Amino acid sequence: MNSVSSSVTGTAVGGRKSGHPEEDAHIQINQTQKELGTRLAEDEEQAPVGPQRFQHGFWDPEVAHLRALYMKILGLTVVLLILVMWICFPVFWGSLGETSQHVPNLKGLVINRDGADGALGQAIVAAFEANSRGEGVAPNEHLTWVVAESTSFPTNDDLAYAVVEEAAWAAVVVNPSATSLLTSARSSGNSSYDPRTAITFYYNQGRNEIATNSFIVPYTTALLETTLASFNAKYNAEFFASLVSDPGQEFQQALAAIVQAPQTVSQPFSFTPVNLRPYTKTASQAILLVGLTSGRLEVVITFIITMTHDFARGVISPFIRFSSYAKMRVLVPLTLYFPISFSYALVNLPFKLTFGAKYSYAGGFFLFWIFVYMGMSALGLSVEAMITLLTPRFAAYFLVALIIFNVSVSSVPIVLQPGFYRWGYGFPVFNLAQAIRTIIFNTKNKMGLNAGVLLAWIVLSSITIPFFTWLIRRKTELAERNRVEEARAKA
């Protein structure tokens, strides 16, 4: 008999004699098996039954079953990631890949206040109508221009307000008597004549800086410059032809007037761009582009809260009733989001964001915090609901989908995306970003609708969390009852 069996016969648990040698030997044998990972054969000789700690190479046959489990876990992870990639990534690429193909979905307004006989107004209207049909430009490299009656927008302030209120993405107006003002300036030698007062180009950069900077301003500016260059050359030619045909006293007076106001012939007509809602603060990019306010950053923050809560509630959940447990699942995260969202809002204060653009500075900051809280709650509770079904092991895959599906519809205007993306109007990050733009850029106020969408997500998750919890809890309670009954049967 070896040393193990020899020690067994003389020592009980804890090194004390129990007075029952056979019982002491049985206890010591079991203890030795657990410590050494061996079993005793019939002759009480040791025989290895499993891998020993810190004793094997990766390809050792004795850890083959563990190696197989290890590779299975990694392989399953790779398969799931590839599946998630093929489901989610095309959604994101597709939201950006065909943006330029949908530029005609951007509507602009053209107003002619130059009068029925105004040559400039007629030329601008004709050029923009032709551009809207795609004439003279590459396919889809144009906005859709709608010629509106001047009575629809009695003043330029009314037209500017319509652009801010998102009746159109841009507006071009030929100002009153633009042609006759030039004629008068030429004949009188008005040196104060400004060619830029002929046309005004309104746009709203704060609505979406990507669409504005990439399409609206470049395409409209190019169209105006091309049209005016052609029209100015033609109009000057007609003017000088009329002078040459009558080289008398009027000719000398016209030359004198041109000397006094050379801009009337060097550039008879030009335009003034007016950015109604400038995208002024660079720090705003951290909110609207990098984090999309509660987009990627807040999803990550709420995911940390969800994982922490999942671990923490495991300590107490087996001992409380379902009603208390369900309330805890919903109310505790909502409580935690209060200080976290407030801290998120405070971080932006040193960077002097324009919280006072639409309301008072304090009121704008308060609204910003409230929307950050609602966005965090909408996103966080959805993660809280899905972790119940997916478990922490697979929750990260849902996190990837949640981020991509929200960000895909928030970077560029949905009208520049294929029709498939219309669902974005009902997603949290799109509505959150839209509300934030209203607060810091004074864009069109849709905050009532935005808040309604966010609250709908919160209510939906407040229903699904208890329901999913009940499904899992019922399964767990059934297993516990079966275990207790089996234990009683054995007893």
Side-chain angles (χ1 to χ4, degrees), residues 80-124:
L80 288 176
L81 275 177
I82 292 175
L83 182 62
V84 170
M85 287 170 60
W86 279 95
I87 293 175
C88 299
F89 284 20
V91 173
F92 184 60
W93 307 147
S95 70
L96 302 174
E98 298 184 3
T99 301
S100 60
Q101 303 300 313
H102 298 276
V103 176
N105 289 339
L106 301 176
K107 187 183 80 170
L109 296 175
V110 180
I111 306 291
N112 179 15
R113 302 190 195 277
D114 196 21
D117 298 328
L120 176 63
Q122 294 175 5
I124 292 297

Side-chain angles (χ1 to χ4, degrees), residues 176-197:
S177 305
T179 303
S180 61
L181 287 175
L182 173 67
T183 303
S184 175
R186 279 178 170 176
S187 61
S188 64
N190 183 5
S191 60
S192 64
Y193 173 76
D194 186 354
R196 296 172 297 178
T197 61

Side-chain angles (χ1 to χ4, degrees), residues 302 305-306 309 326-342 369 372-382 384 454-455 457-459 461-463 465:
T302 55
I305 292 295
T306 301
H309 190 212
K327 293 176 183 176
M328 181 182 74
R329 290 290 310 276
V330 175
L331 298 180
V332 170
L334 289 176
T335 303
L336 296 177
Y337 298 151
F338 261 105
I340 295 174
S341 61
F342 187 66
W369 170 40
V372 168
Y373 174 76
M374 288 192 294
M376 190 173 290
S377 300
L379 294 165
L381 289 184
S382 66
E384 185 79 26
L454 295 175
L455 290 173
W457 274 74
I458 295 173
V459 171
S461 295
S462 298
I463 295 173
I465 288 175

Side-chain angles (χ1 to χ4, degrees), residues 126-146:
F128 275 72
E129 286 180 332
N131 178 264
S132 189
R133 294 190 297 268
E135 298 178 10
V137 294
N140 300 316
E141 290 188 3
H142 62 88
L143 282 69
T144 295
W145 295 99
V146 177

Side-chain angles (χ1 to χ4, degrees), residues 109-111 120 124 128 145 156 170-175 178 182 193-203 215-232 263 266-275:
L109 296 175
V110 180
I111 306 291
L120 176 63
I124 292 297
F128 275 72
W145 295 99
N156 282 4
V172 173
V173 55
V174 182
N175 289 312
L182 173 67
Y193 173 76
D194 186 354
R196 296 172 297 178
T197 61
I199 299 173
T200 306
F201 165 36
Y202 295 105
Y203 62 95
F215 305 112
I216 296 172
V217 171
Y219 289 178
T220 307
T221 300
L223 176 58
L224 283 169
E225 290 176 346
T226 302
T227 303
L228 288 175
S230 175
F231 182 79
N232 286 340
Q263 71 273 24
S266 63
Q267 190 180 29
F269 300 108
S270 184
F271 66 95
T272 300
V274 178
N275 186 358

Side-chain angles (χ1 to χ4, degrees), residues 280-284 287 345-357 361 365 368 439-441:
T280 52
K281 285 293 183 181
T282 306
S284 302
I287 297 178
L346 286 175
V347 168
N348 294 277
L349 283 180
F351 300 97
K352 302 185 184 303
L353 296 183
T354 52
F355 292 122
Y361 193 87
F365 174 78
F368 176 76
I439 294 170
I440 66 177
F441 293 136

